[in-house]
């Protein structure tokens, strides 16, 4: 019989979202991470999973309010399978301080939760599931050395059906860890450890990036709830069937509620505006956050329409950030005649630049400067 594992990581409970969101939006984003954890426990129960694994960074830091720690422990008590396994990651690393994060969590967690604080084999589930777990807990936020070295050297029990590694850190070729500061690991190191399956955390994207598969033995689930505009996916976790003979089936489950979008568009015509209107019409007021960057040169009527639409679009999404620094107004002779007295210095200068048209940016800059002085 296979064991069924629900694999998540990087939940980051307690993340503050200090980017500059409206306070009501900020509170919803903070709360969503707790709701997503609860939702994942429910999904794992529906799938009758044996194990619920958090491969690091259940919490966003070490200094969380006690009520948040107790709330997380209480949510995990709702898992109906054999055990919950929680690995300290680089944000919620093992600390030597008394009354630290994990002391409070351990006092509140259920008896079927394993807190993987030590780099040693955990044999607790060998009698029930035939599984031994080999964790690599983090002991600081940064480290140029990973914690999996002991696993390769440790003799593997041939009577165990499943050997499962749980680690948190960057993976060579996948994670953007250019200075090698986040417990860097290579696929070769992981494969050489003699482990049948690696459940990983730290990298906030899904790896492999597939809906399901059977080939990989190193799995990153992604963060389950998107946390910013550098996170373009909707949040995932893995549902894993690990068979005794070593075969694996993994399926990606969508877990997040909110989604962040970065939209960059060139605007110069009515068709461009129509496409942008269509885009915003498909977004959800309750769930979508958008960073919009527009560039190009458009006639005044489009600029005026855009100003009105931006106000409307703020009501179409939960949060909207707009960058118009590269969005220029096309200056026409009619604009110049309408705003400046014929024969005046500004009128003559702008008309001359408009006729030359060698460098439209010169006309744009002169027009803006004169308007600012005039104002």
């Amino acid at each position: 019989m296979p064991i069924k594992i629900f694999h998540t990581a990087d939940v980051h409970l307690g993340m503050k979202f200090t980017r500059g969101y409206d306070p009501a939006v900020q509170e919803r984003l903070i709360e969503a991470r707790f709701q997503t954890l609860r939702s994942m426990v429910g999904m794992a129960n529906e799938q009758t999973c044996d194990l619920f694994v958090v491969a690091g960074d259940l919490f966003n830091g070490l200094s969380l309010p006690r009520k948040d720690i107790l709330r997380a422990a209480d949510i995990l008590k709702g898992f109906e399978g054999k055990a919950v396994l929680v690995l300290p990651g680089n944000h919620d690393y093992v600390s030597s301080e008394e009354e630290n994060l994990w002391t409070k969590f351990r006092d509140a967690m259920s008896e079927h939760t394993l807190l993987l604080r030590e780099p040693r084999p955990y044999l607790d589930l060998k009698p029930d599931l035939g599984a031994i777990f080999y964790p690599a807990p983090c002991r600081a936020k940064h480290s140029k050395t990973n914690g999996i070295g002991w696993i390769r050297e440790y003799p593997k029990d041939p009577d165990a059906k499943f050997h499962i590694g749980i680690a948190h850190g960057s993976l060579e070729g996948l994670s953007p860890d250019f200075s090698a500061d986040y417990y860097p690991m290579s696929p070769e190191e992981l494969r050489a450890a003699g482990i049948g399956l690696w459940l990983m955390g730290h990298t906030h994207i899904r790896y492999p990036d597939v809906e399901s598969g059977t080939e990989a033995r190193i799995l990153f689930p992604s963060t389950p709830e998107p946390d910013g505009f550098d996170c373009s996916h909707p949040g995932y976790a893995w549902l894993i069937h690990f068979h005794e003979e070593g075969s694996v089936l993994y399926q990606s489950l969508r877990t997040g509620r909110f989604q962040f979008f970065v939209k960059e568009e060139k605007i110069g015509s009515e068709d461009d505006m129509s496409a942008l209107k269509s885009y915003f019409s498909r977004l959800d007021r309750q769930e979508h956050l958008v960073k919009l960057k527009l560039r190009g040169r458009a006639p005044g009527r489009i600029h005026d329409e855009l100003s009105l639409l931006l106000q409307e679009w703020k009501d179409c999404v939960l949060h909207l950030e707009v960058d118009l620094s590269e969005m220029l107004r096309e200056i026409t002779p009619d604009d110049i005649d309408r705003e400046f007295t014929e024969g005046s210095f500004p009128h003559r200068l702008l008309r001359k630049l408009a006729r030359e048209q060698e460098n439209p940016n010169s006309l744009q800059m002169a027009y803006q400067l004169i308007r600012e002085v005039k104002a």
Side-chain angles (χ1 to χ4, degrees):
M1 288 287 292
I3 56 174
K4 294 175 70 174
I5 305 169
F6 192 97
H7 172 205
T8 185
D10 301 287
V11 186
H12 289 284
L13 300 175
M15 183 177 284
K16 294 302 183 184
F17 294 95
T18 56
R19 182 184 178 90
Y21 300 106
D22 179 87
V25 173
Q26 180 185 24
E27 185 58 36
R28 291 182 65 185
L29 294 173
I30 292 170
E31 175 63 19
R33 310 200 80 77
F34 288 94
Q35 294 300 329
T36 295
L37 180 62
R38 187 180 300 278
S39 173
M40 289 193 294
V41 169
M43 294 167 72
N45 289 337
E46 289 176 7
Q47 296 291 337
T48 62
C49 290
D50 299 296
L51 303 172
F52 189 96
V53 176
V54 183
D57 287 355
L58 173 62
F59 300 104
N60 192 55
L62 301 181
S63 302
L64 267 70
R66 182 181 180 85
K67 65 179 179 63
D68 288 348
I69 300 171
L70 300 184
R71 185 180 181 190
D74 186 63
I75 291 172
L76 292 174
K77 287 177 183 177
F79 179 59
E80 298 169 358
K82 294 289 186 182
V84 174
L85 285 74
V86 180
L87 179 80
N90 74 302
H91 279 263
D92 53 10
Y93 56 86
V94 176
S95 168
S96 60
E97 297 178 12
E98 289 189 28
E99 288 299 309
N100 62 26
L101 169 76
W102 292 117
T103 300
K104 297 171 186 174
F105 179 82
R106 186 177 56 202
D107 291 344
M109 71 187 193
S110 71
E111 61 182 13
H112 75 297
T113 296
L114 290 179
L115 178 56
L116 309 177
R117 289 170 51 101
E118 301 172 21
R120 63 170 178 84
Y122 281 74
L123 310 177
D124 308 61
L125 294 170
K126 185 184 174 187
D128 285 344
L129 298 176
I132 299 178
F133 300 92
Y134 303 81
C138 296
R139 299 193 173 276
K141 186 166 186 178
H142 303 101
S143 175
K144 292 186 177 295
T145 304
N146 64 57
I148 66 172
W150 73 271
I151 301 173
R152 180 175 181 175
E153 304 302 324
Y154 195 89
K156 308 303 185 292
D157 183 348
D159 293 330
K161 299 176 183 178
F162 306 100
H163 296 277
I164 301 173
I166 306 176
H168 191 90
S170 62
L171 183 67
E172 181 183 298
L174 174 68
S175 310
D177 184 10
F178 304 110
S179 299
D181 288 329
Y182 295 98
Y183 299 84
M185 291 167 267
S186 70
E188 292 74 22
E189 280 182 286
L190 293 169
R191 285 193 286 266
I195 296 297
L197 178 65
W198 279 102
L199 307 180
M200 307 292 291
H202 178 69
T203 297
H204 285 205
I205 59 174
R206 180 175 63 181
Y207 177 82
D209 190 17
V210 295
E211 294 300 318
S212 64
T214 59
E215 299 298 320
R217 296 297 182 272
I218 302 170
L219 300 174
F220 286 84
S222 89
T223 183
E225 180 65 38
D227 55 10
F229 288 108
D230 58 348
C231 182
S232 60
H233 60 76
Y236 299 108
W238 288 118
L239 174 64
I240 303 166
H241 296 72
F242 190 13
H243 293 262
E244 187 175 340
E245 79 279 5
S247 65
V248 177
L249 170 64
Y250 43 90
Q251 298 169 279
S252 184
L253 304 178
R254 180 169 174 170
T255 54
R257 177 179 181 185
F258 295 110
Q259 193 162 2
F260 293 77
F261 298 92
V262 176
K263 181 73 169 174
E264 296 190 14
E265 288 293 334
K266 182 177 181 180
I267 300 295
S269 67
E270 295 290 352
D271 287 344
D272 296 334
M273 288 293 289
S274 295
L276 199 55
K277 292 176 189 176
S278 176
Y279 172 78
F280 273 93
S281 71
R282 299 191 298 271
L283 297 179
D284 191 307
R285 172 71 178 86
Q286 299 300 319
E287 298 180 352
H288 293 161
L289 300 89
V290 179
K291 181 194 286 187
L292 178 66
K293 181 177 177 63
L294 300 180
R295 56 186 174 82
R297 188 183 303 276
R301 67 181 184 281
I302 290 181
H303 259 270
D304 295 340
E305 181 186 12
L306 182 59
S307 297
L308 295 174
L309 286 172
L310 287 175
Q311 295 302 316
E312 293 181 16
W313 291 339
K314 285 184 178 180
D315 295 328
C316 293
V317 292
L318 186 63
H319 174 79
L320 176 64
E321 296 180 17
V322 182
D323 181 354
L324 299 177
S325 61
E326 297 182 31
M327 187 68 212
L328 304 178
R329 181 187 183 106
E330 184 180 284
I331 310 303
T332 67
D334 287 343
D335 292 327
I336 298 170
D337 292 343
R338 184 169 53 253
E339 292 199 42
F340 302 99
T341 303
E342 185 176 357
S344 66
F345 174 74
H347 184 272
R348 286 185 285 113
L349 173 63
L350 295 175
R351 272 292 202 160
K352 180 177 182 295
L353 292 173
R355 285 194 301 272
E356 292 173 352
Q357 285 295 316
E358 293 179 1
N359 186 355
N361 288 334
S362 297
L363 174 60
Q364 181 76 35
M365 291 174 61
Y367 178 81
Q368 289 177 336
L369 286 171
I370 292 171
R371 290 193 73 189
E372 289 174 8
V373 172
K374 184 180 177 182

